[in-house]
Amino acid sequence: MNEQPPYLTEAQIREIGITYQDALAALRAAFVRRAELADPVVSKIGLHTEDGFFHAMPAVLDDIAVVKWVASTKASTAAGKHVNAQLIATDAHSAETLAVLDFSWLTGLRTAAVSALGADFWSDPEATTVAMIGCGLQARTHLDALLAVRPIQRVIALSRTEASVRKYADEAAGRGIETIIANGRPELVYEADIIVTMLPLQAETQPVLDCRRLRPGALAIGVDLGRFWRADSLDALDDLTTDDRAHTAGLVQSGMVKISRAFDSDLADVLAGRSTVSWAASKRIGYVPPGLALADAAITRLILGRLGIMPG
């Protein structure tokens, strides 16, 4: 038994050089396995206070078992770190602890990769414009991830603060991407092929996205559990999808996801060839990926394989 498993810092993990193409390949393999119901899935456990949230997320993926502890508070957000996460990786056969990982940066990468995987299935293959509602870390990772699956050329940015939207716009423009600031002109977001809402869960604001105003062929991605989609507009969506229907159903039952409409498909359905949902120029599709520990396990397995801690 390994008596002192390694602790992998963010710096060590970044040095591995995981790309979004790497992450997408790992996620595809994990959801193919999920389609075969090969591993158990349980909903995340969430504790919510006036100050923030604390989530425990366990999963088994073939020969690896993980549990992630992720927290965010008003103080951590004010300090510039929206997510604090640690993950314990265990050999699913020997029960040996393989490693402990700083998963804060990886949570951003994994979240964006799961969004991009859904976009690869349910958005316009020629999508060139994305609207980012929220301009923090997730907006940065989502731009990188979406560029891995779609020819994005223009970003429409909307944020609660002028400083954050201008910083994000400058960064995107520095990469040669046309950027339009929608603060003061929120109706501009409806020009996008893909709209991503990702305001912090502890943010106090009213739902802002009216699904009735989405252009035909558009995909709306609710990284924030769809909390900022107007509930009275959900019927305007031709289809509503998620990362894993069983997991999301548990979160709906617990009240963490406040969407009462049924989900029509998930990633495993698509990869198994049994999905009833596909992109069409006339359809408006919504995608709410609450975050599944199976995806964390897939990314962890990729990293530990690269490091030789377990088979790649």
Side-chain angles (χ1 to χ4, degrees):
M1 296 289 287
N2 186 352
E3 296 182 359
Q4 189 172 352
Y7 180 83
L8 303 179
T9 66
E10 178 180 321
Q12 291 172 315
I13 292 167
R14 283 179 178 264
E15 287 178 1
I16 298 170
I18 299 296
T19 68
Y20 277 101
Q21 293 294 357
D22 295 331
L24 287 165
L27 290 173
R28 286 176 182 271
F31 281 103
V32 166
R33 185 173 173 86
R34 174 63 183 143
E36 300 167 353
L37 300 177
D39 302 306
V41 169
V42 296
S43 297
K44 71 175 83 173
I45 301 168
L47 299 173
H48 295 251
T49 70
E50 293 183 358
D51 197 46
F53 69 83
F54 309 86
H55 292 170
M57 302 174 62
V60 174
L61 176 61
D62 192 7
D63 54 358
I64 188 173
V66 306
V67 62
K68 183 173 76 170
W69 177 250
V70 56
S72 181
T73 64
K74 293 177 182 177
S76 67
T77 298
K81 191 168 186 178
H82 293 273
V83 169
N84 291 273
Q86 305 290 317
L87 181 142
I88 301 173
T90 302
D91 187 300
H93 302 301
S94 70
E96 178 184 0
T97 301
L98 299 170
V100 179
L101 291 74
D102 181 334
F103 223 80
S104 300
W105 175 73
L106 282 175
T107 292
L109 181 146
R110 183 272 285 161
T111 300
V114 172
S115 292
L117 187 57
D120 201 25
F121 297 138
W122 296 310
S123 73
D124 183 350
E126 302 301 323
T128 58
T129 302
V130 59
M132 301 289 190
I133 301 179
C135 292
L137 172 63
Q138 287 293 346
R140 292 169 174 82
T141 58
H142 273 72
L143 180 56
D144 290 336
L146 289 171
L147 282 167
V149 297
R150 290 294 182 266
I152 302 299
Q153 300 173 10
R154 183 171 68 148
V155 172
I156 301 170
L158 178 65
S159 178
R160 291 174 298 159
T161 67
E162 192 71 18
S164 64
V165 74
R166 291 200 173 277
K167 180 180 180 182
Y168 181 70
D170 288 344
E171 291 175 1
R175 301 177 61 179
I177 297 173
E178 179 188 356
T179 308
I180 297 173
I181 294 177
N183 280 28
R185 299 179 296 165
E187 69 280 358
L188 293 179
V189 302
Y190 297 108
E191 297 178 6
D193 303 305
I194 301 170
I195 300 177
V196 188
T197 58
M198 54 199 133
L199 298 175
L201 294 183
Q202 60 267 41
E204 297 178 2
T205 184
Q206 295 297 314
V208 295
L209 187 72
D210 187 338
C211 298
R212 293 166 296 201
R213 298 183 65 182
L214 297 177
R215 57 179 295 189
L219 172 68
I221 304 176
V223 179
D224 46 25
L225 310 183
R227 290 175 67 245
F228 296 98
W229 299 3
R230 288 182 51 174
D232 61 353
S233 73
L234 291 178
D235 286 343
L237 295 172
D238 294 282
D239 294 296
L240 182 60
T241 65
T242 186
D243 48 7
D244 184 276
R245 280 192 286 185
H247 176 254
T248 303
L251 298 181
V252 171
Q253 186 175 15
S254 71
M256 195 179 300
V257 173
K258 302 182 184 301
I259 293 178
S260 58
R261 173 176 167 171
F263 289 86
D264 302 300
S265 186
D266 63 12
L267 298 177
D269 283 343
V270 176
L271 287 161
R274 59 176 182 245
S275 178
T276 59
V277 178
S278 59
W279 178 82
S282 61
K283 293 170 60 174
R284 300 175 178 87
I285 299 176
Y287 174 45
V288 179
L292 186 67
L294 177 75
D296 295 318
I299 300 300
T300 300
R301 199 181 189 289
L302 173 65
I303 290 166
L304 298 187
R306 292 283 178 89
L307 293 174
I309 295 175
M310 65 184 306

